[in-house]
Amino acid sequence: METILYAVIGLLIFMLGGCLGSFFNVVLYRLPKKEEFIKTRSHCPECKHVLKWYELVPVFSYMIQRGHCRKCGVKMSVQYLLMELLCGGANLWAFISLGFDSPHRIIIAFILFPVLVSLSVEDIRKTEIPYWCTITIAVLGIAATIFSVLPAFQPTDALWWEHLIGMVIVSLPFAVFCFLGAMGGGDVQLTAAAGLLLGFAIVPSVLIALIIGAVFGIAVKISKKRATVCFGPFLSLGIAVGYLYGYDIIAAYSMAF
């Protein structure tokens, strides 16, 4: 019975993440076009058919409809499915890692992870990190900094002053690289916002991103394929790992050395 209960909870959390992924995908699509995305209901971009609730079930609706609009039959972008899968999977990962013992951290993770997925997708598509993603992470960082002074509320493992140091400890060197033309301004803003949220955990986050990014870049170079290597997705993965395990990584490193 307990196993069934956890499976149901896990499915609900996955579906919640999928719903957020679907919503953020709409934001990514409409915001650059300056279209309203809160009050206007989801619709087919081709025939403007307003989607019913059973056409909006994350992942399942796309698969049942085989990626096509039920009204006009136009093929929908696979990005809808990917966003729902990635956001649902990311939130499920956060729940498995944090469990019921950290409700405050879970709430932040359920917002943070879909935003990280969104900015990664947009960085791959357009080689730019949306401002609203960085702003959202910065707001989470401000909230975590404010509430970290309350003993009963522990949104992260960082103390209030560690949040402030985390904001500049990596973003300042990145700003120098940006000035020299070796890095984009979006990466600098992202590391500053994430550092405010993570505190010292931003350090292992960026190291993970640099290592994975370097391996990927070497693989692309060896394959002799011309491809633009975007750093946003690697930073997003590093930030997610840092949020869940950053201070554990720091503690393990301190014990080892």
Side-chain angles (χ1 to χ4, degrees):
M1 182 62 69
E2 185 176 345
T3 302
I4 296 176
L5 177 61
Y6 272 95
V8 171
I9 293 174
L11 178 60
L12 291 175
I13 289 172
F14 177 84
M15 296 300 287
L16 172 62
C19 289
L20 289 172
S22 180
F23 172 72
F24 285 143
N25 195 59
V26 171
V27 176
L28 291 177
Y29 177 79
R30 296 186 187 180
L31 194 60
K33 299 181 178 182
K34 297 182 179 179
E35 295 181 5
E36 204 281 326
F37 56 83
I38 296 179
K39 295 181 180 180
T40 305
R41 294 181 59 185
S42 297
H43 56 269
C44 171
E46 185 70 22
C47 68
K48 309 304 179 183
H49 163 65
V50 177
L51 304 181
K52 308 295 184 182
W53 68 266
Y54 49 82
E55 297 175 282
L56 294 171
V57 180
V59 180
F60 296 102
S61 291
Y62 188 96
M63 296 179 68
I64 291 173
Q65 294 163 199
R66 298 182 179 180
H68 292 78
C69 172
R70 291 178 66 252
K71 187 73 173 180
C72 67
V74 69
K75 184 174 178 58
M76 309 298 288
S77 172
V78 73
Q79 182 175 316
Y80 288 95
L81 178 62
L82 291 176
M83 284 285 290
E84 292 169 359
L85 283 171
L86 290 172
C87 291
N91 278 12
L92 187 58
W93 173 32
F95 172 71
I96 292 173
S97 299
L98 299 175
F100 291 106
D101 297 331
S102 306
H104 307 122
R105 296 188 67 186
I106 280 285
I107 293 173
I108 290 179
F110 282 1
I111 301 172
L112 173 65
F113 283 24
V115 170
L116 292 175
V117 171
S118 300
L119 74 86
S120 298
V121 169
E122 196 70 354
D123 197 23
I124 292 172
R125 287 182 65 245
K126 299 182 178 179
T127 63
E128 64 179 32
I129 296 175
Y131 284 115
W132 67 266
C133 292
T134 306
I135 292 172
T136 302
I137 297 173
V139 171
L140 292 176
I142 293 171
T145 304
I146 293 173
F147 286 113
S148 63
V149 301
L150 303 176
F153 193 102
Q154 292 297 327
T156 66
D157 292 324
L159 302 175
W160 70 267
W161 54 270
E162 292 176 340
H163 288 282
L164 300 180
I165 294 177
M167 180 174 61
V168 298
I169 195 172
V170 172
S171 61
L172 280 182
F174 273 29
V176 174
F177 293 141
C178 179
F179 178 76
L180 297 175
M183 184 166 290
D187 297 326
V188 179
Q189 296 167 9
L190 177 58
T191 52
L196 183 61
L197 174 62
L198 302 182
F200 291 156
I202 189 62
V203 175
S205 297
V206 171
L207 288 176
I208 290 171
L210 289 172
I211 292 171
I212 299 177
V215 172
F216 183 82
I218 292 171
V220 169
K221 189 172 184 179
I222 292 175
S223 67
K224 296 181 180 180
K225 293 182 179 180
R226 294 184 178 181
T228 301
V229 179
C230 304
F231 196 44
F234 304 115
L235 269 178
S236 295
L237 179 59
I239 291 167
V241 173
Y243 182 78
L244 296 176
Y245 317 113
Y247 275 81
D248 294 332
I249 295 173
I250 293 174
Y253 180 84
S254 300
M255 292 180 62
F257 296 94

